[in-house]
Amino acid sequence: MWGFHGRRAVSAQVRVRVRGPWAGPCAARRAGSSGTELRRGGLPYVSPRVRKIEMSEEIGVPRSPSSATGGQVSFLHKGLCACDSVPAKCKWPATPSSPVPDNPQLQPRTSLDSITGEGCRIQVSIILPVYNSEYWLDECLKSVLEQDFQGTMELSVFNDASTDNSINIIEKWKFKLEDVGIRVVIGSHDSHQPQGVGFAKNQAVIQSSGTYLCFLDSDDVMMPQRVRLQREAAIQHPNSIIGCQIRREPLDSTERYTRWINNLTHGQLLMQVFTSHGPTVIMPTWFCSREWFCHVGKFDEGGKGVPEDLLFFYEHIRKGGGVFRVDQCLLQYRYHPQAATHSVLEGTIWTHRVRFLEDRALKHWTSFTIWNAGKQGRKLYRSLAPANQKKVAAFCDVDENKIAKGFYTYQESKERPKPRIPIQHFRDATPPFIICVKLDLTGGAFEENLNALDLKEGLDYHHFN
């Protein structure tokens, strides 16, 4: 992850370059109104000549659903999914290519030359947006090289106006990756100002061609089995975002968050979506089919301060998507001050969370109790739409001093008389609950109290903090 500055200009243009064997003289040429498009082995790809794409050209187009989705895909973004019509059947070489000479432990991989037969396509595209990542890129790209997945794979890099040595590092690794059969696509734009995380991810997807998308941040490191294991899971769960367990770097950073992300049950991956932790599988571990990504829609391109991963995750759930986690540590997730996460204001995330809670949970309840009569519980009450405020039957707590007050009076209300909400002991309160108590902070006392009520998560309560 990285910090961004500025927003995308409407007239921003993108340069996409494909080099190496994929742009060789054997490519078939197909004339088009905007110039000559090169194709090799049935795979559309960009001419070595720099091509400029106006960003305003993204439009929705209808498409028939595949048998994997089990339903109609109502729209797809032009550019994001144009390559989906390429046949999937490939002619594999009789003899595998040799291992990389300076790393004898690497397994042989199909070479670029051997997968250019008619009907071949890329199976997995690794999506890598880059902005000023010179400190981490070598380790990140080395982890791409060391993947043990034996199918066809490409790396789609979008350089978002980096001013450091990032592009030179990418160019260096391009040759190493293509030597072992990993196609490399490098894109950039004309502006001197970075256009934002969402924009860079979308462009990396647009210029890629794989059936599956594997998202990676430039400061993180994949374990060798990541692509292989997540692709296997994605085939079994075609409408899901596939995540994995992580190892935090440094190890002692965000310990509570790391425990939460690694230890959620598979049922909780879809139930604990309202908490302040955000998506229940973190963005740099995401893996999904291109078709499902296009069905959900692109990332928000608002730029700095926009939680594009959270917004995409919410839209994914609204459209009926699932969440699945491979229960192995497949990513080293780096924590550092320059991470883009730090540019998103807590208030922005809070507003999105409340609206999502109201849309997904509260609209189905006629009344509910807020568990926590303190600061966080009162803040949630004040943030609710008036119709949902009226559904709050009570606050509940364990603090005898708060309970002794009897009521919380909403002083900011314009109603007369001002609303007064009862404060009860949690054992006397009536479910369902919205719980505004942080997990893993009370030495197990809160969790013990909750378990004593014998309630069902997702039905009788939701966690919000």
Side-chain angles (χ1 to χ4, degrees), residues 138-409:
D138 278 315
E139 195 174 1
C140 175
L141 295 174
K142 183 173 182 286
S143 76
V144 175
L145 180 76
E146 293 178 343
Q147 290 301 297
D148 64 16
F149 175 62
Q150 292 299 296
T152 53
M153 189 166 67
E154 74 176 356
L155 173 66
S156 179
V157 183
F158 192 84
N159 178 32
D160 192 23
S162 295
T163 57
D164 63 358
N165 197 42
S166 291
I167 188 61
N168 293 326
I169 296 172
I170 294 166
E171 294 282 1
K172 176 188 70 175
W173 278 96
K174 172 184 176 293
F175 296 106
K176 295 182 180 181
L177 292 165
E178 291 190 339
D179 278 347
V180 296
I182 300 174
R183 180 191 184 199
V184 178
V185 185
I186 304 172
S188 62
H189 56 76
D190 293 335
S191 174
H192 296 297
Q193 293 295 321
Q195 306 301 306
V197 186
F199 176 83
K201 289 174 183 173
N202 287 335
Q203 291 307 313
V205 171
I206 288 170
Q207 70 189 23
S208 71
S209 57
T211 305
Y212 292 93
L213 307 175
C214 176
F215 291 90
L216 177 64
D217 280 353
S218 57
D219 52 359
D220 295 330
V221 178
M222 298 190 290
M223 301 301 110
Q225 67 273 35
R226 180 191 171 186
V227 169
R228 173 174 55 84
L229 293 180
Q230 288 195 300
R231 179 175 175 270
E232 290 173 0
I235 292 171
Q236 297 298 317
H237 303 275
N239 295 355
S240 292
I241 290 177
I242 310 299
C244 65
Q245 293 176 324
I246 62 167
R247 178 168 64 86
R248 202 60 155 139
E249 177 63 33
L251 288 173
D252 59 351
S253 59
T254 64
E255 291 180 285
R256 284 181 57 247
Y257 175 71
T258 303
R259 282 196 297 271
W260 179 78
I261 207 73
N262 283 340
N263 294 312
L264 288 169
T265 68
H266 282 273
Q268 289 173 329
L269 293 175
L270 273 177
M271 289 188 292
Q272 293 199 12
V273 295
F274 307 112
T275 76
S276 57
H277 287 318
T280 50
V281 287
I282 61 172
M283 170 66 211
T285 72
W286 287 5
F287 191 108
C288 66
S289 72
R290 176 183 298 274
E291 184 168 11
W292 183 255
F293 177 88
C294 295
H295 177 57
V296 175
K298 64 181 182 178
F299 290 103
D300 188 291
E301 297 185 356
K304 184 179 180 180
V306 173
E308 83 292 335
D309 55 345
L310 181 67
L311 297 180
F312 186 93
F313 186 72
Y314 284 170
E315 187 64 16
H316 161 77
I317 292 173
R318 288 188 182 102
K319 293 192 172 182
V323 184
F324 183 83
R325 187 186 66 222
V326 176
D327 284 335
Q328 291 190 36
C329 177
L330 302 180
L331 187 83
Q332 176 181 287
Y333 183 46
R334 201 181 306 270
Y335 178 87
H336 57 87
Q338 290 77 40
T341 303
H342 303 305
S343 70
V344 183
L345 297 177
E346 181 182 348
T348 300
I349 295 175
W350 176 275
T351 299
H352 288 301
R353 288 172 54 218
V354 172
R355 298 290 85 84
F356 189 63
L357 176 71
E358 291 183 312
D359 178 58
R360 300 295 297 180
L362 301 188
K363 73 177 183 181
H364 301 295
W365 293 348
T366 57
S367 66
F368 63 95
T369 299
I370 296 177
W371 191 320
N372 188 346
K375 181 179 178 180
Q376 290 296 303
R378 297 194 303 268
K379 179 180 178 181
L380 173 61
Y381 175 84
R382 294 193 299 268
S383 301
L384 296 174
N388 286 317
Q389 288 178 343
K390 294 183 183 299
K391 294 181 181 180
V392 178
F395 291 91
C396 72
D397 213 294
V398 294
D399 188 324
E400 295 296 339
N401 292 328
K402 294 173 184 174
I403 296 169
K405 292 180 180 179
F407 292 90
Y408 163 68
T409 303

Side-chain angles (χ1 to χ4, degrees), residues 82-96:
C83 64
D84 278 359
S85 60
V86 180
K89 186 176 179 181
C90 291
K91 295 179 181 179
W92 294 94
T95 306

